[in-house]
């Protein structure tokens, strides 16, 4: 995998809300793949890479934050809509 590119700090807020609320998310990845998952928490590794920890039908997994293209909460009354993570610019 490439050298980690930190996510813009403002975008972390959306992920933290998703984790605190336990949102079910449609997660779109930079490689074109997507998955449905429940947001659990975020974590930072010892070498400063940041991850979104999620629960899928296949179990828990971690997604490196710079691999996120977009997340969309599936809850009807979510506090935000689709958030796009591209080049540290947030559009929704």
């Amino acid at each position: 995998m490439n050298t980690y590119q930190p996510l813009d700090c403002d975008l972390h807020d959306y992920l933290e809300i998703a984790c605190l609320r336990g949102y079910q998310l449609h997660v779109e990845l930079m490689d074109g793949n997507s998955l449905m998952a429940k947001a659990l928490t975020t974590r930072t590794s010892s070498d400063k890479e940041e991850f979104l920890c999620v629960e899928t039908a296949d179990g828990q997994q971690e997604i490196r934050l710079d691999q996120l293209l977009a997340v969309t909460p599936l809850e009807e009354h979510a506090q935000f809509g689709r958030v796009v993570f591209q080049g540290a610019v947030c559009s929704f």
Side-chain angles (χ1 to χ4, degrees):
M1 201 171 276
N2 299 333
T3 303
Y4 179 69
Q5 299 298 313
L7 190 64
D8 185 280
C9 292
D10 292 339
L11 297 173
H12 279 272
D13 292 343
Y14 295 102
L15 297 176
E16 293 300 326
I17 290 168
C19 293
L20 286 170
R21 304 275 188 218
Y23 285 166
Q24 289 291 328
L25 301 173
H26 176 230
V27 179
E28 300 169 66
L29 303 174
M30 296 294 283
D31 66 6
N33 289 317
S34 66
L35 59 128
M36 302 297 184
K38 179 181 179 179
L40 299 175
T41 191
T42 57
R43 137 183 127 74
T44 304
S45 69
S46 59
D47 56 353
K48 305 295 186 211
E49 292 180 338
E50 298 169 294
F51 296 86
L52 174 62
C53 305
V54 297
E55 178 79 38
T56 68
D58 297 326
Q60 290 187 9
Q61 71 180 82
E62 295 183 341
I63 303 165
R64 205 169 83 169
L65 296 190
D66 64 347
Q67 298 305 304
L68 291 174
L69 173 63
V71 297
T72 306
L74 302 177
E75 274 72 10
E76 187 174 329
H77 300 291
Q79 290 183 300
F80 60 91
R82 182 174 188 258
V83 178
V84 178
F85 303 86
Q86 287 184 337
V89 174
C90 175
S91 61
F92 53 96

